[in-house]
Amino acid sequence: MGEASLAGSYDIVVIGAGPAGSSAAQAASQRGAKVLLIDRRQRLGIPVQCAEFVPQWISRQASFSPACIMQRVEKMVTHLPGSITYEMKSPGYMLDRSLFDKELAASAVLSGVRISIGSKAIGLSTEGLIVERSSKKETIPSKVFIGADGASSAVARFVGRNSLRTLAALQYEVILSEFQSSVDVYFHKDYEGGYGWFFPKGKTANVGIGIVSSKASRLPDLLEHFLDILRRSRKLKEIQIVSKTGGLIPCESDQRRLFKNVLLVGDAAGHAHPITGAGIFNAVMAGLIAGRIAAKAVETEDLRYLAQYEIECQEAFGESLSYGTLKRKFLEENWNRPEVDFEELIRKTWVGFKEYYQDRRKIPLPSPLPSRKCAS
């Protein structure tokens, strides 16, 4: 039995059923809007392209069951070259991201949202969103469209937004022989513009590397190098891989997110932190804001109200993202300069160090750091 046509009258169409899209759809539906949520995938939450670590206060924004939590974490350990380590409190959860995404989508549907999987957005015209399903095309009219379709957003292309700068990431899920209590990040001169991560989640751990996209071809070799570091430091006793994934992480936040009646949210909007790459919490927050604002604009029949979306996102996390974008630029410009001390560069550009915040009120960022000899 085939799926019924999507044709109908919608107030809001949300493209992408990840954390941002499902949150936006639910928020809009709860305020009386008629909402359609579509996703090109046949299985929501699959494949997982995420390190799956979130701060614990996400539970204040999103409703999800304890089954989504693979492990609780209390601290983050930052590793610099020369066996230098720093600890910071970082209470959070390691998620089962596929289940988390499905639960958010289910909550949206239970609030009145209509959902359609296997539906690919292929264009946007004055008549509406052009969608392809089972090799058939149809146009779906709507008053507002919300693009929540990831770092390579098709909706962003439809409205002419420039592509966001991205990091490239590769991640393996490996077997753990013993429980690990912290999340760990590793900086190395070869991991250009990024870092390696070791995020435990019970009997397995997510082990990955993110680097500037221009060096993406090096990721397999770099990840093998990182696994060797983990083996030699006894974080891993042996390497048993159970899954592999990869993708792009947006690392800039200074482009537009509102185009007439189209809002961009989550990775499509560059809401991931430009330094850490963390994006789930901001995606949920932005989705809730977008859904609420869009519903209000529809209710009042005044699409000018959509401008409130940018204002509220700026108030919620805009300063943090803008500052992170500046730090990202500083980091990449100085990464390969021989006169710059690598440890001091990381201390100035990683959120785990107090030096990261010292320039908060100083724009532009300070000149390159002088070199000093350090352990290697």
Side-chain angles (χ1 to χ4, degrees):
M1 182 176 180
E3 287 185 273
S5 169
L6 297 178
S9 176
Y10 297 100
D11 296 319
I12 300 165
V13 173
V14 182
I15 302 93
S22 293
S23 297
Q26 181 176 5
S29 182
Q30 288 175 334
R31 286 161 178 80
K34 186 176 180 181
V35 183
L36 172 66
L37 174 63
I38 70 169
D39 196 286
R40 64 184 297 172
R41 296 169 295 178
Q42 296 291 345
R43 297 179 63 194
L44 297 185
I46 304 294
V48 173
Q49 294 176 300
C50 178
E52 301 182 293
F53 177 65
V54 292
Q56 68 177 13
W57 49 85
I58 194 171
S59 58
R60 301 175 187 173
Q61 303 291 334
S63 177
F64 54 94
S65 73
C68 294
I69 300 173
M70 301 294 292
Q71 179 176 329
R72 296 175 187 268
V73 172
E74 294 299 330
K75 67 179 179 179
M76 175 179 287
V77 181
T78 300
H79 301 255
L80 296 176
S83 300
I84 303 167
T85 61
Y86 299 87
E87 292 187 6
M88 65 176 289
K89 290 183 178 179
S90 186
Y93 308 122
M94 285 299 300
L95 295 176
D96 177 336
R97 175 65 192 275
S98 63
L99 181 58
F100 178 79
D101 281 20
K102 282 180 277 207
E103 285 201 3
L104 293 190
S107 293
V109 171
L110 292 173
S111 73
V113 172
R114 181 180 179 188
I115 192 168
S116 176
I117 62 170
S119 297
K120 180 181 179 182
I122 60 173
L124 188 62
S125 69
T126 54
E127 286 74 38
L129 183 73
I130 305 168
V131 173
E132 184 176 55
R133 286 194 310 160
S134 304
S135 301
K136 296 180 181 179
K137 298 177 183 178
E138 57 185 307
T139 299
I140 306 169
S142 181
K143 297 167 186 173
V144 178
F145 299 93
I146 298 178
D149 51 340
S152 302
S153 170
V155 179
R157 292 198 303 274
F158 300 159
V159 296
R161 207 276 315 278
N162 293 331
S163 298
L164 296 171
R165 292 178 62 248
T166 58
L167 298 177
L170 179 64
Q171 177 175 277
Y172 295 166
E173 184 180 3
V174 300
I175 301 294
L176 287 183
S177 58
E178 57 187 31
F179 181 79
Q180 303 277 349
S181 61
S182 65
V183 291
D184 294 67
V185 297
Y186 291 75
F187 290 93
H188 190 283
K189 197 68 184 288
D190 290 344
Y191 308 162
E192 187 170 340
Y195 61 92
W197 62 85
F198 175 90
F199 289 0
K201 49 180 190 178
K203 294 183 179 180
T204 65
N206 291 334
V207 176
I209 290 182
I211 57 174
V212 292
S213 291
S214 61
K215 303 295 177 66
S217 63
R218 297 191 61 203
L219 276 171
D221 288 340
L222 290 175
L223 190 46
E224 289 301 321
H225 173 269
F226 182 39
L227 288 170
D228 191 53
I229 289 176
L230 294 174
R231 188 191 295 111
R232 285 187 281 113
S233 67
R234 300 186 183 279
K235 291 291 285 187
L236 289 175
K237 291 184 177 179
E238 58 178 338
I239 309 300
Q240 298 283 353
I241 300 168
V242 294
S243 70
K244 297 181 180 182
T245 188
L248 299 176
I249 306 169
C251 61
E252 70 170 318
S253 65
D254 53 0
Q255 292 201 36
R256 288 174 59 194
R257 304 178 182 96
L258 170 62
F259 302 82
K260 296 183 180 178
N261 67 334
V262 178
L263 306 177
L264 300 176
V265 296
D267 279 358
H271 283 146
H273 194 281
I275 292 293
T276 68
I280 299 176
F281 182 74
N282 285 354
V284 170
M285 286 186 64
L288 294 174
I289 293 170
R292 174 169 49 80
I293 296 297
K296 182 72 171 179
V298 168
E299 180 187 7
T300 59
E301 299 183 351
D302 185 1
L303 294 184
R304 292 175 299 178
Y305 187 73
L306 294 176
Q308 188 68 21
Y309 169 64
E310 289 276 35
I311 294 170
E312 291 200 24
C313 282
Q314 180 63 30
E315 291 174 348
F317 46 73
E319 183 179 349
S320 171
L321 295 187
S322 295
Y323 187 65
T325 297
L326 287 173
K327 287 286 189 177
R328 160 63 52 191
K329 184 173 184 290
F330 182 69
L331 176 72
E332 293 187 14
E333 287 177 348
N334 289 283
W335 190 279
N336 290 316
R337 298 182 67 166
E339 72 273 20
V340 173
D341 176 74
F342 185 66
E343 180 186 338
E344 288 198 15
L345 176 64
I346 298 306
R347 293 177 72 93
K348 277 192 166 290
T349 54
W350 178 246
V351 296
F353 297 114
K354 65 180 185 300
E355 290 90 338
Y356 177 86
Y357 305 94
Q358 288 175 347
D359 305 313
R360 194 85 182 226
R361 302 302 176 185
K362 298 177 184 177
I363 299 178
L365 291 170
S367 57
L369 300 158
S371 177
R372 71 172 175 83
K373 193 172 182 179
C374 64
S376 60

